[in-house]
Structures are given as structure tokens and as C-alpha cells.
Amino acid sequence: MATGIKNKVVILGMGCSQFGERWNASPEDLMVEAYTEAMADAGIAPEQLDAAWFSTHMDDVGTGRGGTPMGIALRLPNIGVTRVENFCAGGSEAIRGAVYAVAAGACDIAIALGVEKLKDTGYAGLPVATVGTYIPQWYPNAVAPANFAQLASAYRHQHGVDAALLKRALAHVSVKSHANGAKNPKAHLQKPITEEQCLKAPIIAAPLGLYDCCGVSDGAAAVIVTTPDIARGLGKRDPVAFKALQLVTSNGWEMQGNGWNGSHVHTTRVAARRAYAEAGLERPREQLSLTEVHDCFSITELVTMEDLGLSEPGQGYRDVLDGAFDAEGRLPCQIDGGLKCFGHPIGASGIRMLYEVYLQLQGRAGPRQLSQPSLGLTHNLGGQPSQNVCSVSIVGLWDA
């Protein structure tokens, strides 16, 4: 029977480029930034890498298809490079490939890297990608802000939340993340904002205003994984271990029946339940030290905390307003600034989330450092509330 990956795979090293409007950097430059830091952190030579997984979404913009862009940019030693794409959860998909390969014994050391150059597309937001041959015949077309604005409206209706109160909670989410991002030199946006700025900002898709939406960015991130024994043999004394890694994909239930009311993300609930079981967590609210969730919009973060079981249904907005997920709260969320301050280079975001949790667990997060964290969760969502791919990962110190 399957036993999961708990404590079977550890992080040997990680790296992350500066995120932002990187007009003077190519995708290859960004890959090199993340890779160089990850390799130095791991303390290994390229010849010790056995396999690679490469995440990028908008491949026709300039990064290229297949595994060769990564292999050539980094001069990898002719190892296998598998390119993966799974909407905005592509980075987590790359991690999953590398982790599973090591856990299965197929290789000793593997690397996962994600990169995206979205500023070069010319779009103000995410370019609209094809959804297949037949889906457009029945699926309503909408851009991301509109899709997640519907999530906000459904959430307010389902739980009877006053519109002004929900708007304040959404503002608090953004203010909190910008306060955290101001302490992060690798974030795209590094300035605090006020609640008044959020509430008075132009509306993008009601009730979401300008500061409720994450931006478009360029960036890359990388993680190198191996077995605990190999890590110890390379001098790693307190490795960060994977406790769970779950990926859940929509099967049409949300849009092809009457069971979904639009106020939550079904796949997040399923992935969270499975991840907690794999990691052996019975009280995640008390056992987790921090979370990095897919805050493409402020409402996404708020609803996600409920879907992860970290707030009671319909009470997430109250927890937000009470500061439960602030840096000094009971369960800090987006301590690095999140997608809100990093932007969202699609192929890189899932790995960037892991990078922050890894730094926190290693006590290396500088002015953002939390006090003695032991377990962290990352949540990476690709697609939209009604049709998506969701990854939930839990990592922690070896003895956590």
C-alpha cells in the first residue's frame, strides 16, 4: 500500500531570483540566478544532479518548449529535463516530479525549476490561453479578476457577510501582505500600503479593487531535493523534509452539476484533507507555523484559509480582521509578501512559495524571520474557482 512521502525526501538547497519587471533579463538570466543560488546552497556540483523538472507556462513568449531551454541555459550535464505545465500550479508540479523521483529511488538528487517572463507578453494581466476544443461551447469566457470577483460575491451571499465588512477584510489581506513584502528585497513590490488606499482604489471587477489583485511579474525559483541519508552525508544537519505533497484536479463537478455554490474552491478542501492525512496532522491550526497560499486576489487568500480548515466556514473574514494571519498573528500567512508583492510569474510561483517556507524553517529569513517555526504549508492554485488544479504541500523540520 502507498505510504506517502513523509520524511522520505528533503531539501538540499533552494534559490530564487529577484522578481519584478526584469526588462533587461532573459528567461535564461532568471534561471541562472535561481540555479546559482540553489546550487551554492546545496553545496554540490552540476555532475551530481541526476534529473530535472522544468516549469514554464507561456512557452511561446520566449522561454521555449521542451526541456532544452533549461538544459542549455544551465549547461546541465546531459541529464533528463522534463518540462511540465499545469496552469498556475506548474511550479508545484515540477516539485512533485522531482520529489517523487527521489522517493521512488529513481534518482539520488533532482532539481525542479520554474521561470516566467510575463512582462514581455505585452499584456497588462495574464495572457488568455486556450482551454481546448470543446470547452468554449459551454464554458463562459472571463478574465481572472472577473472569475475571482464571482468567488467574492458568492462567499458574501452564502455567509451573509456585509459588503462593507468584506471589503475591509479584503483590504486587510492586502495591507498585511504589503507590510511583509516591504521587508523582502526579492519582492517585486516593496512598499507598505494603507487600508484607505485599498478602499479608495479603482475597481477592477467588483468588489475587487486595484490592491486586491496581484500583479504580473518576471521571476524564477529552484529547489534541489534528495534523500535524508544523502543530505546528511553532504553535511546537512537539520534538513527540511517533505511531510506531504498532494495535487487535486477538477473533474467537472463544479460546473456540470448543482452541488457547488461558488463560495469556495472544492479542490483546495480535498487537497488539504489528503495532505493533513499524509503528514499525520490532526490539528493543523495548532500544528502549522506558517502558510504561503495562492493569493492571486485578496479574496482567494481569505477563502483559502477556510478551505484549508484554518478558519471556520464563514468566519475567515473575521479572522483576517482580527489579525490571525498577520506576521504577529496565530498563523502568519504570506510572510514574504505573497503573490501580492512578488507578482505571479506562473511557472515559478509554486517554487517561490516553498522558498520562503524553507528559509523560515532554516532561520534564514532575515527581518521577516518568525520565532522557531517547525511546519509550513504551501497552497498553489492553477485555473479559476470553477475549474482548476490545486497543490497543497507540507514541509517541516525533520523531527517536527
Side-chain angles (χ1 to χ4, degrees):
M1 292 181 65
T3 57
I5 60 167
K6 183 177 181 180
N7 290 340
K8 294 179 180 179
V9 181
V10 300
I11 298 173
L12 194 56
M14 291 201 71
C16 183
S17 77
Q18 169 75 47
F19 278 42
E21 296 184 340
R22 301 293 304 274
W23 300 111
N24 296 324
S26 67
E28 290 79 8
D29 293 329
L30 298 176
M31 284 190 263
V32 169
E33 280 186 39
Y35 173 75
T36 301
E37 182 185 351
M39 291 294 284
D41 188 34
I44 61 173
E47 293 73 24
Q48 291 172 273
L49 294 172
D50 296 320
W53 276 261
F54 176 45
S55 166
T56 183
H57 183 66
M58 303 303 298
D59 48 86
D60 291 328
V61 173
T63 305
R65 295 183 176 181
T68 52
M70 179 179 175
I72 293 173
L74 306 180
R75 297 295 188 266
L76 296 177
N78 294 119
I79 58 176
V81 180
T82 302
R83 178 181 175 265
V84 299
E85 184 281 314
N86 218 343
F87 297 129
C88 305
S92 294
E93 187 69 270
I95 295 171
R96 189 168 74 123
V99 167
Y100 279 14
V102 169
C107 62
D108 289 333
I109 301 177
I111 182 171
L113 182 146
V115 66
E116 211 77 60
K117 277 282 291 175
L118 286 180
K119 298 306 295 185
D120 292 358
T121 66
Y123 282 80
L126 295 180
V128 178
T130 178
V131 292
T133 304
Y134 296 109
I135 291 178
Q137 296 183 26
W138 59 268
Y139 193 82
N141 184 33
V143 295
N147 289 326
F148 285 87
Q150 291 179 7
L151 176 67
S153 297
Y155 177 86
R156 186 171 73 83
H157 175 76
Q158 176 67 20
H159 300 293
V161 183
D162 177 74
L165 196 58
L166 180 60
K167 186 66 175 173
R168 276 192 55 225
L170 298 182
H172 189 96
V173 168
S174 298
V175 170
K176 172 264 300 173
S177 292
H178 275 273
N180 295 340
K183 300 177 182 178
N184 196 329
K186 291 194 175 184
H188 184 163
L189 305 176
Q190 299 178 29
K191 293 183 179 180
I193 60 173
T194 66
E195 180 179 291
E196 184 180 17
Q197 282 179 285
C198 290
L199 295 177
K200 293 184 176 180
I203 293 295
I204 304 300
L208 304 180
L210 179 64
Y211 290 105
D212 292 312
C213 310
C214 86
V216 170
S217 185
D218 304 329
V223 57
I224 300 169
V225 297
T226 189
T227 66
D229 289 342
I230 292 175
R232 293 191 188 98
L234 292 170
K236 303 294 182 180
R237 295 290 173 258
D238 298 302
V240 172
F242 284 87
K243 309 293 183 177
L245 205 170
Q246 291 289 330
L247 189 83
V248 173
T249 304
S250 293
N251 65 0
W253 171 78
E254 295 95 334
M255 285 295 290
Q256 298 173 11
N258 295 320
W260 184 61
N261 61 25
S263 68
H264 66 277
V265 179
H266 175 65
T267 55
T268 297
R269 296 184 175 188
V270 177
R273 184 170 64 248
R274 293 175 182 171
Y276 295 148
E278 184 176 17
L281 300 187
E282 297 180 353
R283 306 180 316 281
R285 295 188 201 184
E286 292 79 34
Q287 292 169 287
L288 290 171
S289 305
L290 73 155
T291 64
E292 285 283 321
V293 307
H294 198 95
D295 58 324
C296 49
F297 301 92
S298 53
I299 186 61
T300 321
E301 177 179 326
L302 189 156
V303 171
T304 294
M305 301 313 281
E306 293 187 17
D307 291 341
L308 291 173
L310 304 177
S311 284
E312 292 293 332
Q315 298 301 308
Y317 74 98
R318 295 186 186 276
D319 287 342
V320 165
L321 289 170
D322 289 342
F325 309 121
D326 292 359
E328 300 81 19
R330 64 171 171 85
L331 185 55
C333 180
Q334 324 299 55
I335 194 64
D336 65 344
L339 271 71
K340 187 66 189 69
C341 292
F342 270 83
H344 183 24
I346 303 176
S349 289
I351 303 176
R352 189 273 304 160
M353 295 177 189
L354 181 63
Y355 177 77
E356 178 63 21
V357 176
Y358 170 71
L359 290 181
Q360 289 286 344
L361 294 173
Q362 295 265 303
R364 297 160 50 193
R368 308 182 307 281
Q369 184 61 50
L370 300 174
S371 177
Q372 299 182 318
S374 59
L375 280 175
L377 177 148
T378 67
H379 161 269
N380 195 194
L381 185 71
Q384 49 208 356
S386 59
Q387 179 178 295
N388 58 75
V389 179
C390 177
S391 172
V392 173
S393 303
I394 298 172
V395 296
L397 299 176
W398 178 256
D399 55 358

